[in-house]
Amino acid sequence: MTGHDISLLIVAVCSILLLVLLIVSKLRFHPMIALLVVAVCVGFASGLDTESILNTIEEGAGGTLGGVGLQVALGAMIGKLLGDSGASDQIASTILKRSTNRTLPWLMGAVAFIIGIPMFFEVGLIMLLPLVFTVATKVEKQGNIKGSAFVLIGVPVVAALATMHGMVPPHPGPLTAIAGFKSNLGVTMIYGIICAIPAAILGGPVYAKFIAPRMTVRPDQQLLNQYTALSVESKGKISDQIDASNFTAATVEKPVSPVTAFIVVLLPMLMMLSHTLAETLFKKSVTLNIITGFIGEPFIALLIGLIVGIILLGYGRGADTQKIRDSLGASLKPISGILLIIAGGGAFAKILVNSHVGDAIIHLSSGLKLSAIAIGWLIAALLSVTTGSATVGIVGATGLLAPLVGSDPHINKELLVVAIGAGSLFFNYANHAGFWLVKESFSMSMGETFKTITIIQSIIGIVGLIMALLLNLLPHF
C-alpha cells in the first residue's frame, strides 16, 4: 500500500463518522443534506477538482434515481392500489389463515424468498410493504406479542430479499461475477440457494424473534394509511391462533377476490422471471429472448403490473377514474423524501468510487494470505462498506480475482461467486440506498435501522461465507 492509499482510507472512515455525526448529533441534519455535504467534503479531501465534484454528485444522484426512482414510484402506486381496493387485506387474510405468531414470520420470509428470486431488493421491498404493514397491523391489534409487530414481520422479509439479491442470480451482482469468472449459471444458482436458505433463516425469523421484543418501531401513520385498509379492526381477542375471519376486510364497493389480488402482486415477478427462464431454456430462440428481455426489465414489468392493477383493481370494480388518478398521485407524496435521500446516498457513493477508495481497498487486501473464497468475500465486503454499493464490491472483487481464477483450476468458481455476493451484503450502513429505504419506510431512528438491516445483512454475509467455505470442502458439482 502507498501513502496515498492510506490517506484515502482515512478519508473514507472520516466521511462515515462525519455523516453519522451530522445526522444523530444535536445538529440534526436532514439525511439528504448530510449526505450531500459529506460528499462535497470527501471530494475536496480526496483531491478532486470542483468540476469533477459537481459532475460526480450529479451523476451519482441521477444514476441512482434513474435506476431505482422509477421502480420505487411504480411500486408505490401498485401498493396504493392494493391498499385502496382491499387487495392487500385479502392477501393478508389468506396468509393469516391457520397461521400463528410463531409461524407467521417464517411464512412471510418464505414468501419474500420466492418473490426475491427475480426482484431487486428495493423493488421487492416496495412491492411487499402493503403486505408487511397489513399483516403487522393485524398482529399488533391482537396485543399478544411483545415489542414491535412491524419488526417481527418486516425483518424476515428484509432478510430474504437481501439474501436473494446478493447471492443468487439472476440479480446483476452475481451475474457480473459469473461473467467475470466464466462460471456455470445453473450450478451457481444451486449453490446460491443452498447458502441463502440458512442465511435468510438466521438473519430473518430467528433474529426477528430476538430483536422484535426489544423494539417499539411503528411506521408513520401516513404510510400505514396508504398501504393498509383503514377499517381493519379486530372483533375479539385471539390467542396464539390467527384466524382471518376475526378481522373485517376493507370497506370497498366491490371487494376483490384473493385470486385477483395475487395476480396483481405476482405479475411483475413472473415477467421478470420469464427473462431468466427464456435465457436458460430457450437460448436459441432470439425472438422469445427479445420479448422476455423487454417485459422482464424491472421498470417495464412494474409498469405493466401497474396498468393491469388499474384495470383489475380500479376500472374492473367500477371505481371513479378521477379518484384512481388522485390516489396514484397521492401515493408519490410519502415516498418523495425517501427518493431524495436515496439520491443523496447515490451521490455520496459515487464520490467514494471516483476518489479511488476502492483501489486502496484492493491494494490492502491483495497482500493477505487467505483462500480465494475468503479473499473474495473480504474485498467485496470492504468495497461495499466504503463505497455504499454492493455492485461495486462484487465488480471490484471479481476484477481482482479473475486472473487468479483463470490460472488455478482448483478454485470453485461458483462458490466464489456466492461468497463475493455474501461479502457485498455485509454491514449495510448509511451510504447504502437500501439502508435509507428501510429506515424511512419503517420510520426508524439511525440506531433502530442499525439494529435491523445492518445487523441482518451482517448475519447474512457471515453465514454466506461460512456456508461457502463448508461446501468447498465437499466434492464439487
Side-chain angles (χ1 to χ4, degrees), residues 107-395:
L107 183 57
M108 292 295 294
V111 170
F113 194 89
I114 295 172
I115 290 179
I117 292 175
M119 281 193 177
F120 293 171
F121 174 81
E122 290 84 359
V123 177
L125 182 59
I126 289 295
M127 286 291 294
L128 286 173
L129 277 181
L131 181 58
V132 171
F133 286 176
T134 302
V135 172
T137 299
K138 289 185 173 184
V139 172
E140 182 183 57
K141 285 181 178 293
Q142 296 176 55
N144 57 358
I145 70 164
K146 295 181 180 180
S148 172
F150 294 91
V151 172
L152 181 68
I153 301 302
V155 163
V157 170
V158 171
L161 292 174
T163 303
M164 300 303 288
H165 181 81
M167 296 168 60
V168 181
H171 293 287
L175 287 179
T176 300
I178 288 171
F181 297 142
K182 295 180 173 58
S183 56
N184 184 283
L185 174 61
V187 174
T188 303
M189 182 171 288
I190 293 173
Y191 275 136
I193 292 176
I194 293 174
C195 294
I197 290 174
I201 289 174
L202 292 176
V206 174
Y207 183 64
K209 184 178 180 180
F210 168 78
I211 194 64
R214 295 165 172 80
M215 301 184 71
T216 57
V217 169
R218 198 172 196 278
D220 183 83
Q221 190 61 45
Q222 189 176 8
L223 275 177
L224 289 179
N225 292 345
Q226 172 170 328
Y227 285 137
T228 63
L230 298 181
S231 60
V232 174
E233 295 179 355
S234 175
K235 290 183 177 178
K237 188 174 182 180
I238 312 171
S239 59
D240 191 45
Q241 184 70 25
I242 300 175
D243 184 356
S245 65
N246 285 288
F247 298 100
T248 59
T251 303
V252 292
E253 295 178 2
K254 294 181 180 180
V256 300
S257 68
V259 173
T260 302
F262 275 105
I263 287 175
V264 175
V265 170
L266 295 177
L267 182 60
M269 180 202 71
L270 294 175
M271 286 189 288
M272 294 182 201
L273 186 59
S274 68
H275 181 44
T276 302
L277 294 176
E279 281 190 327
T280 304
L281 302 177
F282 307 100
K283 294 181 179 179
K284 296 182 180 180
S285 179
V286 178
T287 302
L288 180 62
N289 276 277
I290 291 176
I291 294 174
T292 57
F294 177 73
I295 67 173
E297 184 69 23
F299 158 64
I300 297 297
L302 287 168
L303 180 60
I304 294 175
L306 176 60
I307 298 301
V308 172
I310 291 173
I311 294 173
L312 296 180
L313 304 181
Y315 302 156
R317 293 174 40 251
D320 182 83
T321 54
Q322 183 61 42
K323 288 184 178 180
I324 295 175
R325 176 178 175 176
D326 293 342
S327 178
L328 294 180
S331 71
L332 299 178
K333 295 178 181 178
I335 66 168
S336 58
I338 298 176
L339 291 177
L340 290 174
I341 291 172
I342 291 175
F348 180 39
K350 190 66 176 178
I351 280 284
L352 290 175
V353 172
N354 285 7
S355 64
H356 300 292
V357 171
D359 294 339
I361 296 296
I362 290 176
H363 295 158
L364 171 66
S365 305
S366 60
L368 300 178
K369 302 298 181 181
L370 297 172
S371 69
I373 289 177
I375 291 178
W377 184 92
L378 181 59
I379 294 173
L382 291 174
L383 285 172
S384 178
V385 170
T386 54
T387 65
S389 171
T391 302
V392 171
I394 292 175
V395 171

Side-chain angles (χ1 to χ4, degrees), residues 11-34:
V11 168
V13 172
C14 291
S15 69
I16 298 294
L17 295 176
L18 176 60
L19 178 63
V20 174
L21 177 65
L22 290 176
I23 294 174
V24 304
S25 70
K26 292 183 179 180
L27 296 175
R28 298 295 179 185
F29 270 43
H30 187 277
M32 184 198 72
I33 300 174

